[in-house]
Amino acid sequence: MEERPETELISIPATPRASTPEILTPSGQRSPRPASKEAKSSTAWTPTSFISPRFLSPIGTPMKRVLVNMKGYLEEVGHLTKLNPQDAWLPITESRNGNAHYAAFHNLNAGVGFQALLLPVAFAFLGWSWGILSLTIAYCWQLYTLWVLVQLHEAVPGKRYNRYVELAQAAFGERLGVWLALFPTVYLSAGTATALILIGGETMKMFFQIVCGPLCTSNPLTTVEWYLVFTSLCIVLSQLPNLNSIAGLSLIGAVTAITYSTMVWVLSVSQQRPPPISYEPLQLPSSPATAFSILNALGIIAFAFRGHNLAMEIQATMPSTFKHPAHVPMWRGAKVAYVFIAMCLFPVAIGGFWAYGNLMPSGGMLSALFAFHSHDIPRGLLALTFLLVVFNCLSSFQIYSMPVFDSFEASYTSRTNRPCSIWVRSGFRVFYGFISFFIGVALPFLSSLAGLLGGITLPVTFAYPCFMWVLIKKPPKYSFNWYFNWILGWLGIAFSLAFSIGGIYSMVINGLKLKFFKPPN
């Protein structure tokens, strides 16, 4: 195959909505969408519109060279993007047909999930006041850092940071950026995918028990076998080629997440509360144990706001020009998504804690609903709730796995200088799915380690964006903006260390925690 240059300068036609030219991708899609007829017929002026082939044709070669060089200079002034041709072969940037609707679907799918059902567990240790205050601060903080990431996507003229690691390299340097960002983002994607397999498999098992009932005579599958069934379904869905192609799955994941989150807290609040309920924060036998449990609870709240590791990737799926930058539709979709996220997280946390108090099981709202009200709620309604959770886990697995698929294929294409074939791409995804399955079987406690996951990956959401803003945007030294971002960034690092220690300690005293969370028969 003929070698291609690493970067190429893409020219903008005389249309305000045009972006990069079409490239036929391995999956047969064209990236980005062809310009519409209205755009083609538009007479809007651009810095290089007067230098057209029709204008150049009657002019001699020397003059033509001068005008072509001037055109290149004007293109640089116009902030045109230099693109790596390899991006047209990778799942994140293969298709650039995204829009505000896709951004809303993806952000909702990434921002709402099983982690929301664990928030009442955090409230059991924090109580009403500290629980609501911590959740509110975390929501506002992560909304600000999301805005920062959206603005930094094209902070440097002529460059798009299509992946979180690329932005980290631009801010912290090539090597340090990889060391700081690669581990937490990969850990968050792979850890979340593994936890989704555990949650999805266990929920499928409970769904089968509810539907089958006590009179079922068939031999039920074991928990590990349900993990395998769920993993197989995830692998089948993961054959969709790129991030834009799973927009429909993200919509399904968003709708099911909103639906089951609402159903869970409404069903819990509508039932009679257990008699020995109390709203006093749980106290463990020793002061250090109580302190570490509080840190673990704060880590659970931090983990509820995962998803920033996908912000750059979602924005990378959109076309962008100087007049129509990608951050406009991205931020419009993100605002809509986070309104719905707030409508899911706050009612689940507050309603769940009101319904169960400090009797909340360590498995979260689903475990509480099954343990306390499995005989009070109609079986069909309970089964529907569990089925919606399974659909949401299947959808969330796809969007959280896409950066890992992108890394696999980037390594392959950089070595071979050609796109992945369908068989190579499928092989990567089957391999990743079963690796996640084996990790989940070997470490089945990952489903209850939200505090540790939240602590380790907290800098991705709460700390790194603040540092990146200072290092790339360079606000005036000692200004409010400068102080504000440095303080937020270092607070995020401190909280990350504290929450990680709390999560590790909670693993050590897991038996003690189960003793206090054990629901009555």
Side-chain angles (χ1 to χ4, degrees):
M1 178 180 293
E2 185 179 358
E3 292 189 359
R4 304 179 63 181
E6 291 190 4
T7 59
E8 56 182 1
L9 191 62
I10 307 301
S11 303
I12 289 184
T15 59
R17 297 178 59 87
S19 181
T20 56
E22 287 187 301
I23 300 175
L24 190 61
T25 60
S27 61
Q29 299 186 15
R30 293 185 178 273
S31 170
R33 186 186 315 168
S36 62
K37 293 182 179 179
E38 292 81 11
K40 290 182 180 179
S41 62
S42 173
T43 58
W45 184 85
T46 63
T48 61
S49 58
F50 69 93
I51 308 178
S52 62
R54 181 178 298 177
F55 178 77
L56 292 176
S57 57
I59 303 179
T61 301
M63 179 63 71
K64 186 184 297 185
R65 288 177 181 172
V66 172
L67 292 176
V68 168
N69 291 336
M70 183 171 65
K71 177 183 178 183
Y73 171 76
L74 291 174
E75 287 171 344
E76 290 288 351
V77 173
H79 293 200
L80 293 187
T81 304
K82 293 180 179 179
L83 299 178
N84 187 342
Q86 185 186 5
D87 281 346
W89 300 339
L90 303 179
I92 298 296
T93 49
E94 186 178 71
S95 173
R96 292 189 188 267
N97 299 334
N99 51 43
H101 298 92
Y102 285 13
F105 301 159
H106 289 317
N107 279 288
L108 258 173
N109 190 26
V112 181
F114 71 92
Q115 77 280 6
L117 304 178
L118 299 173
L119 288 174
V121 179
F123 274 49
F125 284 107
L126 300 174
W128 280 118
S129 300
W130 286 107
I132 295 176
L133 181 63
S134 301
L135 188 61
T136 304
I137 292 175
Y139 179 81
C140 297
W141 190 346
Q142 59 86 36
L143 194 59
Y144 167 71
T145 54
L146 178 64
W147 176 84
V148 167
L149 291 176
V150 170
Q151 298 301 316
L152 290 179
H153 180 79
E154 293 177 284
V156 177
K159 173 68 176 177
R160 293 186 70 175
Y161 299 111
N162 296 318
R163 296 159 185 85
Y164 195 99
V165 176
E166 293 178 8
L167 183 62
Q169 288 178 302
F172 304 120
E174 292 291 329
R175 290 189 177 181
L176 184 60
V178 171
W179 280 102
L180 291 177
L182 186 61
F183 172 73
T185 53
V186 171
Y187 181 79
L188 182 57
S189 294
T192 302
T194 302
L196 285 168
I197 289 176
L198 299 178
I199 296 292
E202 292 169 0
T203 307
M204 290 180 74
K205 180 180 178 181
M206 287 189 286
F207 171 77
F208 178 80
Q209 291 175 351
I210 294 171
V211 173
C212 191
L215 301 179
C216 184
T217 58
S218 63
N219 294 324
L221 299 177
T222 63
T223 304
V224 174
E225 289 171 338
W226 281 114
Y227 293 162
L228 184 59
V229 171
F230 183 84
T231 304
S232 301
L233 293 176
C234 289
I235 290 174
V236 171
L237 292 176
S238 69
Q239 301 308 312
L240 292 171
N242 54 58
L243 191 54
N244 267 345
S245 66
I246 65 169
L249 284 179
S250 290
L251 175 60
I252 294 173
V255 172
T256 53
I258 295 172
T259 305
Y260 79 68
S261 297
T262 304
M263 290 178 64
V264 163
W265 74 263
V266 168
L267 290 175
S268 299
V269 170
S270 63
Q271 301 298 318
Q272 186 176 1
R273 287 179 289 177
I277 191 173
S278 172
Y279 298 112
E280 292 296 324
L282 285 170
Q283 298 292 327
L284 296 184
S286 63
S287 297
T290 302
F292 284 122
S293 298
I294 291 174
L295 291 176
N296 184 60
L298 292 172
I300 292 175
I301 292 179
F303 183 61
F305 295 105
R306 78 209 201 293
H308 280 34
N309 61 310
L310 298 168
M312 311 304 293
E313 285 80 355
I314 294 171
Q315 194 168 345
T317 64
M318 302 178 183
S320 183
T321 65
F322 184 58
K323 291 187 176 181
H324 300 277
H327 69 81
V328 175
M330 175 64 182
W331 182 239
R332 188 184 304 126
K335 286 188 294 184
V336 173
Y338 275 85
V339 168
F340 284 101
I341 288 173
M343 292 170 58
C344 293
L345 298 186
F346 283 89
V348 167
I350 296 172
F353 186 57
W354 182 88
Y356 305 109
N358 55 13
L359 297 177
M360 174 65 60
S362 59
M365 289 290 286
L366 287 181
S367 299
L369 203 64
F370 189 79
F372 292 105
H373 303 302
S374 58
H375 301 293
D376 304 328
I377 300 174
R379 196 168 68 177
L381 196 58
L382 197 61
L384 176 61
T385 304
F386 283 83
L387 185 61
L388 292 174
V389 174
V390 173
F391 286 159
N392 175 256
C393 290
L394 287 170
S395 302
S396 297
F397 182 91
Q398 307 308 318
I399 191 168
Y400 270 93
S401 300
M402 197 60 72
V404 182
F405 300 157
D406 188 84
S407 298
F408 285 161
E409 296 189 28
S411 177
Y412 176 86
T413 55
S414 63
R415 291 174 181 272
T416 62
N417 196 30
R418 62 184 180 186
C420 291
S421 65
I422 295 177
W423 295 108
V424 173
R425 173 172 282 182
S426 299
F428 282 144
R429 301 182 182 199
V430 172
F431 170 77
Y432 173 75
F434 282 111
I435 284 293
S436 301
F437 165 75
F438 287 123
I439 294 175
V441 172
L443 304 174
F445 50 82
L446 277 178
S447 59
S448 62
L449 295 185
L452 180 60
L453 287 170
I456 292 178
T457 60
L458 184 143
V460 173
T461 301
F462 295 96
Y464 290 164
C466 301
F467 294 142
M468 293 171 182
W469 180 266
V470 174
L471 295 173
I472 295 178
K473 285 292 188 178
K474 301 185 185 305
K477 201 171 185 180
Y478 307 123
S479 64
F480 173 78
N481 195 349
W482 188 85
Y483 275 117
F484 181 71
N485 284 283
W486 276 116
I487 291 173
L488 279 186
W490 285 113
L491 278 177
I493 296 297
F495 286 151
S496 174
L497 295 174
F499 298 168
S500 299
I501 294 172
I504 293 172
Y505 187 86
S506 296
M507 288 173 52
V508 175
I509 62 168
N510 189 50
L512 186 61
K513 183 173 69 172
L514 288 177
K515 175 182 176 182
F516 277 83
F517 275 137
K518 186 177 180 181
N521 294 328

